[in-house]
Amino acid sequence: MLTTLAALMPVILVIASGYLIARTGLITGEQWRGVERLAYYVLFPAVLFRTISQADFASFPTLNMGGALLASILSMALLLLLARTTIERAWGIAAPRFTSIFQGTLRWNAMIALAIADNVVGETGLAMLAVAMVFMIPLLNFASILVLSHYASGTSPSGAKILKDLFTNPFILSIGAGGIMNAGGISLPFVVDDTLEIFSRAALPIGIICVGAGLDLGSLRRPGPALALGTFLRPIFMPLLAFGFASLFGVTGPALVVVIIASSVPCASNSYLLARQMGGDAKLMAEIITLQTLAATLTIPLALLLVT
């Protein structure tokens, strides 16, 4: 527990630094949007492209990891949808608020996951997590849009828009390009590799500083059933599901650690944007993201106890 917490503390402290930087006004509103775009469109794609292009996929169980993660996501999604009517009757949680619980339980913050995987597992962890993204990102985006389309009041994007968003996602594009380089046995010129390494060193701290800057403690309302469900279903039950399916699929060692990391990190911050765009409860979504991120200082070390 102490070893795991020691590995996570630098990530937690950098997130806290981002929050303090934002609150002191050192970087302001639109400036943060620029920093976030830099991390999302340039720095993290550089990490993923370089990592995937050089990864030895034969050395870890790619398909088994992907199968365990997909099974966990689909099982939890099915359980939530089956419980939808019960949740509304028991606690009066309206359909738009349910969509925020759904996103808060299933979606994950890849920036935090990459930083933790790098600290806990090392460069191999980054490669494994990049593989996890290939399996998880398309499914989670598609499932979230379908649920919001059905239960929220906003306008659903067209099928063409959904496909365009997936195939222009910078994470997916960089992973795909790196995969082509890897499959073709093409080595990066050392100048390009050194350049991408510099980008990579900048990506993780800048990305998680942005996570901290996005926390809004002032938005938190009085705790209620919707906020409690949206906050704690993911960190409690997703790692347990992932651990069960990983055991079933024979995933062990560092690959199992990465599966647990991907299943226990807080909800993705872009869930708020999707909720706002499609008529979900965006305020509840912001509260879930904030509380999950704060709770992660305790819940992620506890989840990693499953595999240490």
Side-chain angles (χ1 to χ4, degrees):
M1 177 72 170
L2 290 176
T3 303
T4 303
L5 189 58
L8 292 176
M9 277 308 298
V11 178
I12 293 166
L13 291 174
V14 175
I15 291 173
S17 299
Y19 178 80
L20 291 174
I21 290 168
R23 296 308 169 269
T24 57
L26 184 63
I27 300 176
T28 55
E30 267 311 300
Q31 294 172 330
W32 278 116
R33 306 294 82 76
V35 176
E36 289 168 359
R37 287 193 291 270
L38 174 65
Y40 186 73
Y41 288 103
V42 179
L43 300 180
F44 274 93
V47 173
L48 296 171
F49 173 73
R50 181 173 182 267
T51 301
I52 288 291
S53 67
Q54 299 175 358
D56 179 11
F57 291 108
S59 66
F60 53 84
T62 302
L63 293 179
N64 291 21
M65 285 177 58
L69 288 166
L70 290 181
S72 303
I73 292 166
L74 291 171
S75 298
M76 180 57 80
L78 180 60
L79 288 170
L80 284 171
L81 292 172
L82 289 174
R84 161 76 193 105
T85 304
T86 303
I87 289 171
E88 182 171 14
R89 287 175 181 170
W91 293 296
I93 295 172
R97 290 169 70 74
F98 171 76
T99 64
S100 294
I101 295 171
F102 186 89
Q103 285 204 92
T105 303
L106 293 181
R107 301 191 70 175
W108 66 313
N109 192 310
M111 292 185 183
I112 294 179
L114 283 165
I116 293 173
D118 185 45
N119 264 24
V120 174
V121 184
E123 194 162 331
T124 303
L126 291 179
M128 291 180 181
L129 200 64
V131 169
M133 288 182 190
V134 175
F135 289 92
M136 295 173 73
I137 289 175
L139 174 61
L140 289 173
N141 277 277
F142 188 67
S144 297
I145 288 168
L146 282 181
V147 167
L148 278 156
S149 298
H150 185 72
Y151 290 109
S153 58
T155 303
S156 173
S158 65
K161 174 69 164 56
I162 294 171
L163 289 174
K164 180 184 176 184
D165 286 347
L166 289 177
F167 288 105
T168 57
N169 183 299
F171 286 14
I172 296 290
L173 289 176
S174 57
I175 290 168
I180 291 170
M181 294 281 290
N182 190 304
I186 304 169
S187 298
L188 293 172
F190 75 91
V191 173
V192 175
D193 185 57
D194 288 350
T195 302
L196 291 176
E197 185 184 7
I198 293 172
F199 278 129
S200 299
R201 289 199 299 266
L204 298 179
I206 289 177
I208 55 179
I209 281 173
C210 290
V211 170
L215 297 180
D216 184 10
L217 301 183
S219 73
L220 298 178
R221 70 179 102 186
R222 187 178 303 167
L227 182 56
L229 287 171
T231 300
F232 295 109
L233 282 177
R234 175 172 178 77
I236 293 173
F237 292 105
M238 283 301 290
L240 292 173
L241 270 177
F243 180 75
F245 281 114
S247 300
L248 186 64
F249 281 81
V251 179
T252 59
L256 178 57
V257 174
V258 169
V259 167
I260 297 300
I261 289 170
S263 303
S264 60
V265 291
C267 177
S269 54
N270 57 6
S271 303
Y272 170 80
L273 300 176
L274 190 61
R276 190 172 62 184
Q277 173 190 332
M278 294 188 63
D281 191 326
K283 179 169 172 44
L284 175 61
M285 193 73 254
E287 293 169 350
I288 290 169
I289 292 165
T290 298
L291 275 185
Q292 273 194 9
T293 305
L294 294 174
T297 58
L298 177 63
T299 58
I300 293 176
L302 289 174
L304 288 174
L305 280 178
L306 289 169
V307 293
T308 55

